[in-house]
Amino acid sequence: MSMVSLPSRRTFLVLAGTGLLLAGCSTTSVMTPTPGSVDETEAALPLVNKLRQAQGLSPLGLDRPAQQAAGRQAVRMAKAKEMKHLIGFGDDFGDRMRKSEVALPAAENIATGQHTVGKAVQAWIDSPKHLRNMLGSYKSLGVAAARASDGRLYWAMVLSN
């Protein structure tokens, strides 16, 4: 039986520490997408801005924290298989937005079952409360979708200042 030589604990710690230092080195700030979600902001933005333009409102811009918050909400709903703003005991919209660093005030539109971003945006346009959010005095948005284990799509839009 041969013995396998394993690195010493000190060598392991030095190598692990070096890896962590190198992982932290970056020349660009890139926000990673929320695992399990698909960012649909770039596809939704022209649809929402066309609607806003028709109402004489200024266009919205893309917002990274809102994209992250929308992705997290879409994933939460897909995992729970429920279209709800608040999922679980103690869930709080304001806390979720602050944790995602979304500029307040903010609003959230949710939907389920639509197969395209265009259909999700149309569902929000057809809903007076969701339409009011999209025509509100917000400056930016993020939109994401996540698929539940049963194949159903869950959509979230976060509008922010």
Side-chain angles (χ1 to χ4, degrees):
M1 186 180 266
S2 65
M3 295 281 280
V4 176
S5 176
L6 296 174
S8 70
R9 180 175 176 198
R10 178 174 291 181
T11 302
F12 174 77
L13 291 173
V14 168
L15 291 173
T18 302
L20 288 173
L21 284 173
L22 291 174
C25 295
S26 175
T27 58
T28 59
S29 175
V30 177
M31 293 189 76
T32 57
T34 303
S37 72
V38 175
D39 185 275
E40 293 284 2
T41 306
E42 288 187 20
L45 205 50
L47 303 172
V48 174
N49 282 336
K50 181 179 177 184
L51 171 73
R52 290 177 61 86
Q53 181 183 20
Q55 299 295 316
L57 300 170
S58 60
L60 300 177
L62 183 142
D63 183 64
R64 299 274 182 220
Q67 287 174 285
Q68 289 281 313
R72 287 186 191 107
Q73 179 62 12
V75 168
R76 285 164 28 97
M77 291 187 301
K79 284 182 179 179
K81 295 182 185 171
E82 292 185 296
M83 187 185 77
K84 294 170 81 173
H85 292 281
L86 304 177
I87 300 171
F89 181 75
D91 192 7
D92 181 87
F93 174 75
D95 285 346
R96 282 194 290 113
M97 294 303 110
R98 281 186 285 280
K99 286 177 185 172
S100 293
E101 299 180 1
V102 171
L104 299 175
E108 181 178 77
N109 288 349
I110 58 175
T112 188
Q114 297 80 12
H115 297 288
T116 66
V117 67
K119 290 183 185 222
V121 171
Q122 189 60 52
W124 291 323
I125 290 169
D126 294 341
S127 164
K129 288 181 182 180
H130 294 105
L131 177 61
R132 202 167 26 252
N133 283 344
M134 291 188 296
L135 297 178
S137 60
Y138 298 105
K139 296 178 184 168
S140 54
L141 65 74
V143 178
R147 191 172 300 279
S149 60
D150 62 4
R152 189 169 185 83
L153 277 174
Y154 289 83
W155 298 87
M157 172 188 282
V158 173
L159 299 120
S160 66
N161 274 331

